[in-house]
Amino acid sequence: MSTSFPFLRDWMDKAPQEHPLRDYFDIASGNDTPDSVATVIVTAFENIIESLEKAKPERLAGVRRDFRQAADTDALLIPRAEMAAGAKLARAGIPFDFGRRNGATEPDLMLRDMNLAIEVKARRLDGLRDLRDELQAALTGITPPVLVELRTDSQPLAIKKDVRAKVVEETVQRARSQNYGTAVTTVDQPWSARKRLLIHVGVYQAADLTDGSRIIVTAGFWGAEPGPHLMDVEDEVLAALEDDQKLRQANTRPTILLFDAARTGMAWIRSELVWAQRLAMRLPDTTPFVGAAVMTPKLDDPDVGISLGVRENLSEQDRASVDELARRLGLTGV
């Protein structure tokens, strides 16, 4: 079976060979099975791009350029968030254009027939993943290889760089000296709903590790969690409302902040309805944004659910516009 993916192929045509989607695209374009990981991911991109190309929004070329220039997966998922939101508008038959770039004070998505705009924000935060990746890199080449168990008593949205460096340095020293067992690092995190974090790092001898050291992350925090962790995620969403550039964009016309939280901790475990309720509850009346929304897009799905909370003190005109948008998109909340 060979699939051409014509819309994505056009976007990939001038992308560098090391583009993060290249391997998936090459596999899916060959004799891959329809339900393989590569084909499912590439098909989702194809569907998104097809919706955008058929809708013909202005300044689509800028989004295509950002897509092509993505150097790694994290960089690729930033334009994908904007693309997924635009494709959702396109499928709903809502005319829109992409905002002007390069420092212009326009939101990302400008709705033509409504006095509304959407500003997309994506933030990757995963403290355990960062620490795991840095441990894995630092332990490469250590002999004999070790098995490392990484565990925290709470799910950390972020672990500060200096803390990660300290844990990595101590773990490497223990591995080199074959000082096996578990060490615990206590971390103060006054910015978090959990003011103290315990990081357990177990270093163990493992004779069967022929491919080098291995890091295993185990979760031991599902007591009072995930409440505190999700409060931290909420704080990240609300912090975006105070970003100077975002504020300038929101002041140009009524704007909804759309936060891509798929890579912001474990935001995805909360239901869309609860997200909408929490956003409406915490959205400050003083913000110039008419509302805040959260989405958690998946690589294998061209569509995305959106949870929206709006300010209580909206004007009648803004309320009517938001209600119309929510109706046509089938949004959760409002």
Side-chain angles (χ1 to χ4, degrees), residues 122-143:
R123 184 83 193 273
R124 179 200 171 279
L125 287 171
D126 190 336
L128 274 177
R129 175 183 167 184
D130 291 339
L131 180 55
R132 180 201 64 195
D133 292 348
E134 291 174 11
L135 278 169
Q136 187 68 68
L139 290 169
T140 299
I142 296 290
T143 55

Side-chain angles (χ1 to χ4, degrees), residues 86-240:
K88 191 173 186 71
L89 293 172
R91 285 190 294 270
I94 300 174
F96 73 98
D97 296 307
F98 288 103
R100 291 178 177 83
R101 294 168 181 267
N102 300 322
T105 54
E106 281 189 352
D108 294 317
L109 302 165
M110 311 282 286
L111 280 56
R112 295 178 192 165
D113 298 342
M114 306 178 198
N115 186 33
L116 273 179
I118 298 173
E119 173 63 21
V120 181
K121 169 72 174 179
R123 184 83 193 273
R124 179 200 171 279
L125 287 171
D126 190 336
L128 274 177
R129 175 183 167 184
D130 291 339
L131 180 55
R132 180 201 64 195
D133 292 348
E134 291 174 11
L135 278 169
Q136 187 68 68
L139 290 169
T140 299
I142 296 290
T143 55
V146 293
L147 178 67
V148 175
E149 180 191 24
L150 178 60
R151 178 171 58 88
T152 57
D153 66 332
S154 175
Q155 177 72 4
L157 187 60
I159 299 175
K160 300 298 183 181
K161 184 177 180 179
D162 60 333
V163 173
R164 300 198 309 268
K166 177 176 180 290
V167 172
V168 169
E169 180 182 3
E170 291 176 351
T171 304
V172 169
Q173 290 176 352
R174 291 170 58 209
R176 283 176 172 159
S177 62
Q178 300 181 39
N179 181 15
Y180 302 129
T182 299
V184 181
T185 299
T186 302
V187 181
D188 292 327
Q189 43 183 26
W191 54 270
S192 172
R194 288 288 297 267
K195 303 305 179 187
R196 188 191 68 169
L197 176 70
L198 298 180
I199 303 176
H200 302 252
V201 181
V203 179
Y204 306 104
Q205 185 178 16
D208 60 340
L209 290 180
T210 57
D211 297 327
S213 299
R214 185 179 306 161
I215 313 294
I216 299 175
V217 178
T218 58
F221 47 78
W222 291 110
E225 299 285 351
H229 174 72
L230 290 174
M231 289 177 64
D232 290 344
V233 178
E234 289 177 9
D235 288 342
E236 284 298 322
V237 176
L238 295 173

